């Protein structure tokens, strides 16, 4: 997987830096180790920054379709850059653990206490971010990631300022702070992390429930770019979830489809809220990268129609839509089904209630061959998505799908 290769690349680069540091005797200077650690954390933060993600997506979307398919396929993997987030976080943690060792006996007690507290908190965040732990105890992962991250930011600033004061060498504290590279890295990462929260707001929503399986959310406001996702929450400081946003035709605002897939979504459907919290800006989703191809197959299951519907309505690229779902009218409502069929009359809807579950790889391959497409975009659960993407790529067919990489 491309994201795993990027993680390994970050590890390799850090290994080279480590070797260079040994040769240059960096370890005699606490500030050098602290800077490398912060640069890794900056990589992890910035690669997930919403404005960066959107800029990268727009850049890839401008690629001429006359370019070789292999090159366009490689560029379409741009959404795998989350591997840099993971790699930066892991390497930054390793460097900071090393920093606590290097700093012991070389810095004052206040700085050392902060460093050890940071190292322990970083290890806790990495531990709770492991995929298996995150899947089983998502709420704890989210709280640790958010509140632990905020605590770390405070500790990073405290440690950096105290260290600058210790090593001022006759300069005033403001002069020492300004001349410390780690401080400037912290300025960038802190601003990047704060920006989405500065755009936090509570908005009214209208929710309809065509069935007990799904809630359709309608919100007013600025019309988002097609193919984006939005983080929403019932409470500003806990349980945030991202869903695809679908621009409302000929009107401002957006829609979302929330399917029953756990406690939070179940409560959302059974007791729909009148308002939701949103933060940041709508962020480009994986399917945007599919616009580099001349024609694509969208193969989706259930509420996976949400991320794809925006692209179908925008008609950015010729496509064949295949929607595998339980009774679509009963589950999602006649209005939504009619909208899909009006926008894409050639859509193949596979009703699993009537026809059972299909072989998704073969269904995708058949649609790819019959439609003359260049690539397949699959939006489903993790097991099905990986099965389809890996099954098609093993046949040399470009395929994209969510990767749950970070």
């Amino acid at each position: 997987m491309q994201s795993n290769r990027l993680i390994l690349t970050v590890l390799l680069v850090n290994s080279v830096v480590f070797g260079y540091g040994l040769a240059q005797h960096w370890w005699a200077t606490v500030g050098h180790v602290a800077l490398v650690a912060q640069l890794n954390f900056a990589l992890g933060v910035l690669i997930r920054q919403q404005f960066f993600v959107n800029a990268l997506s727009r850049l890839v979307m401008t690629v001429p379709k006359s370019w070789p398919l292999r090159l366009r396929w490689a560029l379409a993997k741009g959404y795998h850059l989350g591997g840099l987030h993971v790699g930066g976080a892991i390497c930054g943690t390793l460097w900071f653990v090393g920093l606590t060792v290097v700093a012991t006996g070389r810095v004052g007690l206040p700085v050392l206490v902060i460093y050890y507290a940071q190292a322990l908190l970083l290890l806790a965040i990495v531990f709770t971010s492991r995929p298996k732990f995150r899947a089983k105890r998502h709420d704890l992962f989210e709280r640790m990631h958010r509140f632990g991250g905020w605590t770390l930011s405070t500790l990073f600033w405290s440690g950096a300022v105290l260290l600058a004061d210790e090593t001022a060498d006759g300069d005033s504290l403001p002069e020492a702070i300004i001349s410390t590279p780690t401080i400037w890295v912290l300025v960038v990462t802190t601003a990047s992390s704060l920006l989405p929260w500065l755009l936090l707001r509570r908005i009214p929503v209208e929710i309809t429930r065509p069935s007990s399986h799904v809630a359709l959310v309608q919100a007013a406001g600025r019309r988002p770019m097609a193919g984006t996702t939005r983080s929403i929450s019932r409470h500003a400081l806990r349980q945030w979830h991202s869903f695809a946003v679908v621009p409302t035709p000929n009107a401002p605002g957006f829609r979302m489809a929330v399917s029953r897939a756990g406690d939070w979504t179940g409560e959302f459907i059974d007791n729909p809220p009148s308002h939701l919290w949103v933060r940041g800006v709508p962020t480009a989703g994986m399917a945007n990268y599919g616009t580099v191809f001349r024609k694509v197959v969208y193969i989706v299951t259930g509420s996976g129609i949400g991320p794809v519907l925006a692209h179908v309505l925008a008609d950015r690229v010729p496509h064949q839509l295949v929607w595998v779902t339980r009774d679509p009218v009963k589950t999602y409502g006649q209005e939504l089904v009619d909208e899909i069929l009006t926008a894409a009359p050639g859509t193949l809807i596979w009703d699993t209630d009537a026809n059972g579950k299909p072989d998704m790889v073969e269904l995708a391959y058949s649609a790819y061959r019959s439609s003359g497409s260049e690539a397949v975009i699959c939006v489903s659960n993790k097991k099905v998505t990986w099965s389809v993407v890996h099954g098609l790529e093993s046949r040399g067919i470009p395929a994209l799908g969510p990767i749950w990489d970070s």
Side-chain angles (χ1 to χ4, degrees):
M1 183 187 293
Q2 185 66 28
S3 60
N4 290 336
R5 296 190 188 100
L6 290 174
I7 295 172
L8 291 174
T9 299
V10 176
L11 289 169
L12 178 61
V13 170
N14 275 273
S15 297
V16 172
V17 172
F18 179 77
Y20 180 80
L22 284 177
Q24 298 296 317
H25 305 290
W26 274 6
W27 315 137
T29 307
V30 172
H32 285 158
V33 185
L35 177 59
V36 177
Q38 287 298 337
L39 287 171
N40 274 280
F41 289 130
L43 172 66
V45 170
L46 295 176
I47 209 68
R48 280 301 194 210
Q49 218 289 329
Q50 293 172 329
F51 290 98
F52 173 82
V53 172
N54 287 344
L56 177 65
S57 175
R58 286 190 169 94
L59 180 63
V60 173
M61 289 167 64
T62 64
V63 169
K65 292 180 175 59
S66 59
W67 286 13
L69 177 59
R70 275 284 174 183
L71 178 56
R72 287 182 282 128
W73 185 3
L75 292 172
K77 295 287 189 179
Y79 67 96
H80 283 261
L81 287 181
L84 298 179
H85 170 78
V86 177
I90 292 173
C91 289
T93 299
L94 293 175
W95 278 100
F96 217 93
V97 170
L99 175 63
T100 61
V101 176
V102 171
T104 301
R106 296 184 179 180
V107 298
L109 183 60
V111 177
L112 193 61
V113 169
I114 288 175
Y115 281 177
Y116 272 90
Q118 286 174 290
L120 290 173
L121 187 52
L122 282 165
L123 290 172
I125 291 175
V126 169
F127 178 82
T128 55
S129 297
R130 292 176 304 126
K132 289 184 178 179
F133 186 97
R134 184 174 58 188
K136 291 181 178 179
R137 306 192 65 181
H138 184 272
D139 291 348
L140 177 57
F141 152 74
E142 184 179 339
R143 288 194 295 270
M144 179 61 74
H145 220 67
R146 177 170 303 116
F147 298 115
W150 292 350
T151 303
L152 275 174
S153 184
T154 302
L155 291 173
F156 280 144
W157 274 100
S158 300
V161 171
L162 287 174
L163 182 63
D165 189 34
E166 280 192 16
T167 58
D169 195 23
D171 293 336
S172 66
L173 180 58
E175 290 174 331
I177 289 174
I178 291 174
S179 62
T180 302
T182 303
I183 295 289
W184 291 105
V185 177
L186 278 172
V187 169
V188 174
T189 54
T190 302
S192 177
S193 299
L194 278 177
L195 186 54
W197 291 97
L198 294 177
L199 299 174
L200 178 72
R201 62 189 187 277
R202 189 168 180 259
I203 61 172
V205 293
E206 295 181 7
I207 297 177
T208 57
R209 294 176 295 175
S211 72
S212 61
H213 177 71
V214 66
L216 302 178
V217 181
Q218 176 77 51
R222 181 178 297 178
R223 184 182 177 89
M225 180 180 76
T228 54
T229 62
R230 176 120 250 200
S231 291
I232 62 172
S233 178
R234 300 178 74 134
H235 307 282
L237 295 180
R238 57 189 175 94
Q239 289 191 303
W240 285 85
H241 297 263
S242 292
F243 295 92
V245 297
V246 182
T248 303
N250 304 315
F254 61 88
R255 295 167 291 166
M256 292 179 173
V258 178
S259 292
R260 190 180 297 273
D263 294 341
W264 190 89
T265 52
E267 175 66 17
F268 189 97
I269 294 169
D270 295 335
N271 298 291
S274 61
H275 291 74
L276 287 172
W277 288 94
V278 296
R279 72 171 191 259
V281 295
T283 308
M286 170 274 304
N288 285 58
Y289 292 86
T291 57
V292 302
F293 301 110
R294 292 190 178 95
K295 187 174 184 179
V296 299
V297 171
Y298 295 121
I299 182 159
V300 303
T301 63
S303 58
I305 191 63
V308 165
L309 180 56
H311 295 280
V312 171
L313 296 178
D315 198 25
R316 285 175 174 161
V317 59
H319 57 267
Q320 167 67 57
L321 174 60
V322 180
W323 186 21
V324 179
T325 180
R326 64 180 67 178
D327 190 324
V329 173
K330 182 180 178 181
T331 306
Y332 295 92
Q334 186 68 58
E335 184 178 352
L336 181 63
V337 173
D338 287 345
E339 182 177 8
I340 293 169
L341 293 177
T342 299
T347 296
L348 168 61
I349 300 179
W350 184 290
D351 183 349
T352 57
D353 285 348
N355 303 313
K357 294 183 179 180
D359 182 322
M360 292 293 294
V361 177
E362 290 305 319
L363 185 62
Y365 181 68
S366 176
Y368 165 80
R369 290 293 300 273
S370 63
S371 65
S373 296
E374 283 191 328
V376 173
I377 297 175
C378 179
V379 183
S380 184
N381 59 48
K382 189 173 185 177
K383 181 179 179 180
V384 170
T385 299
W386 283 13
S387 173
V388 171
V389 171
H390 295 164
L392 294 177
E393 287 191 331
S394 66
R395 304 181 188 188
I397 299 170
L400 310 178
I403 53 177
W404 297 274
D405 60 333
S406 60

